[in-house]
Amino acid sequence: MPAGRSRITALTDFVYLRMRHRDAWSSATAQPAPPQRGFESLRGRKYCLLTTFRKSGEAVPTPVWFGLADGKLYLRTEAAVGKVKRIRANPRVLVAPCTVRGKPLGPPAEGRARILGPQETDGAERAIAANYGLFRRLYESAGNRLPIELVYVELAPPLASVNGEA
């Protein structure tokens, strides 16, 4: 087990990888949505397929809970997981609406990710909480009792050029 990775994370990674939909990997090679649309295709959705990239360029898709605010996407995850390591090495990501198992429901949108500092997390938590109800509060209250370090991640769409084109 990699350093810093909890047994709980190892177990959930094992389960989630086996239940991941086979089409999840197709999102990395799909034609991206126009940049001016930003993350609009995710509005009203409960899951997004976050695709991060290994140093080799290999895409790694992961369905996640998220929230939207001010044109940006926010998610919370365990600090020791692979997606955080990949984001630190390469901030380029793709996000697409998906099912709980990661089956894409639309084209991916390009984005750039960054790990938020502790002083930046309040807005991220509000955005995520606004997208979910009682189930998330129950899930999070149970999870918050575990000795696991969590981080918030902010995704921003690519910036349009001065004349409005991408």
Side-chain angles (χ1 to χ4, degrees):
M1 186 167 12
R5 193 166 160 221
S6 72
R7 290 180 188 263
I8 294 168
T9 299
L11 176 63
T12 58
D13 286 352
F14 177 83
V15 171
Y16 291 146
L17 183 60
R18 268 122 196 104
M19 68 179 259
R20 185 122 349 116
H21 196 279
R22 67 182 172 276
D23 290 345
W25 282 266
S26 70
S27 185
T29 57
Q31 179 67 36
Q36 61 270 25
R37 289 194 53 211
F39 302 139
E40 278 305 308
S41 66
L42 298 168
R43 198 154 303 284
R45 304 287 186 161
K46 296 296 182 194
Y47 299 95
C48 87
L49 187 62
L50 171 68
T51 301
T52 55
F53 297 90
R54 291 190 169 125
K55 288 180 184 176
S56 67
E58 179 186 357
V60 182
T62 309
V64 296
W65 282 355
F66 69 97
L68 295 170
D70 301 322
K72 295 180 180 175
L73 184 147
Y74 298 93
L75 62 99
R76 186 171 98 157
T77 189
E78 190 172 334
V81 296
K83 64 181 157 277
V84 171
K85 180 180 176 183
R86 291 186 294 273
I87 286 168
R88 289 186 196 283
N90 178 2
R92 178 181 172 252
V93 297
L94 297 171
V95 290
C98 72
T99 66
V100 66
R101 291 183 54 213
K103 180 180 180 180
L105 299 174
E110 292 271 352
R112 296 197 57 80
R114 72 180 184 97
I115 309 304
L116 296 179
Q119 69 284 1
E120 301 175 282
T121 61
D122 290 345
E125 176 56 33
R126 278 192 303 276
I128 298 166
N131 203 24
Y132 302 93
L134 177 62
F135 180 74
R136 180 175 184 270
R137 286 194 300 274
L138 294 172
Y139 179 87
E140 294 297 335
S141 68
N144 288 340
R145 294 184 184 134
L146 300 173
I148 297 172
E149 181 185 358
L150 299 170
V151 295
Y152 286 88
V153 180
E154 176 187 81
L155 282 65
L159 299 176
S161 67
V162 174
N163 63 4
E165 296 175 12

